[in-house]
């Protein structure tokens, strides 16, 4: 019984012919992917969905036994930091599932997940990320998390400073 991410339609949120078999192997158009580079090319393409249901499904997949512990954080991080359609949903999912995430991902790799806050660039998201990181410290990522928050604060400051000028220029 395979888990399939595609119905073969023209929807850009589908990856045609991609599925995961019962053993956790990615299957492309009926052929099992045998080489690690092929596996990771297909595996990490799952983070690019635009449809919220498929983004959520990808995040949930990351915490299943089918995904290696060392790969789970990378999937979650790529949804938040690399997919603008998954950013807000992904961060909310992290907040709601932190206990499950920490049960799956080793301590030393959890900074990969908290570090996804680097994708934000506004004061509200900064406050939210800071509150989460403060409430869920990751000792192995203390320095990198501080740098992430500093980067978001700087981005938000520049955005605040330049936003009116950019809007005025665009209105011309």
């Amino acid at each position: 019984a395979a888990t399939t991410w595609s119905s073969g339609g023209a929807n850009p949120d589908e990856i045609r012919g991609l599925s995961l078999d019962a053993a956790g192997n990615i299957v492309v158009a009926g052929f099992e992917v045998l080489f690690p580079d092929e596996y990771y090319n297909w595996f990490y393409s799952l983070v690019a969905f635009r449809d919220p249901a498929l983004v959520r499904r990808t995040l949930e997949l990351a915490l299943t036994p089918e995904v290696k512990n060392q790969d789970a954080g990378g999937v979650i991080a790529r949804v938040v930091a690399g997919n603008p359609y998954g950013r807000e949903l992904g961060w909310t999912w992290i907040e709601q599932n932190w206990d499950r995430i920490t049960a799956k991902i080793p301590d030393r790799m959890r900074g990969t997940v908290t570090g996804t806050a680097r994708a934000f660039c506004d004061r509200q998201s900064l406050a939210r990320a800071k509150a989460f990181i403060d409430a869920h410290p990751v000792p192995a990522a203390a320095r990198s998390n501080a740098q992430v928050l500093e980067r978001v604060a700087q981005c938000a400051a520049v955005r605040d400073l330049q936003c009116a000028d950019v809007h005025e220029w665009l209105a011309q």
Side-chain angles (χ1 to χ4, degrees), residues 61-120:
L61 172 69
L63 298 183
T64 65
E66 288 80 21
V67 174
K68 297 174 187 171
N69 293 358
Q70 68 264 25
D71 295 338
V75 171
I76 297 166
R78 283 174 171 86
V79 167
V80 178
N83 180 355
Y85 300 98
R87 187 162 296 143
E88 182 63 30
L89 185 149
W91 186 260
T92 299
W93 185 88
I94 289 168
E95 291 172 323
Q96 295 170 349
N97 291 281
W98 186 248
D99 289 341
R100 292 175 59 213
I101 292 167
T102 59
K104 172 84 173 182
I105 300 174
D107 293 350
R108 68 186 183 286
M109 299 176 133
R110 293 179 190 156
T112 303
V113 177
T114 56
T116 62
R118 71 183 178 277
F120 297 125

Side-chain angles (χ1 to χ4, degrees), residues 2 15 21 32 71 73 76 86 94 98 107 111 117 134 148 150 152 160 172:
I15 301 171
D21 70 15
E32 185 176 328
D71 295 338
I76 297 166
I94 289 168
W98 186 248
D107 293 350
D134 288 348
V148 162
E150 180 180 4
V152 175
D160 292 347
Q172 295 177 0

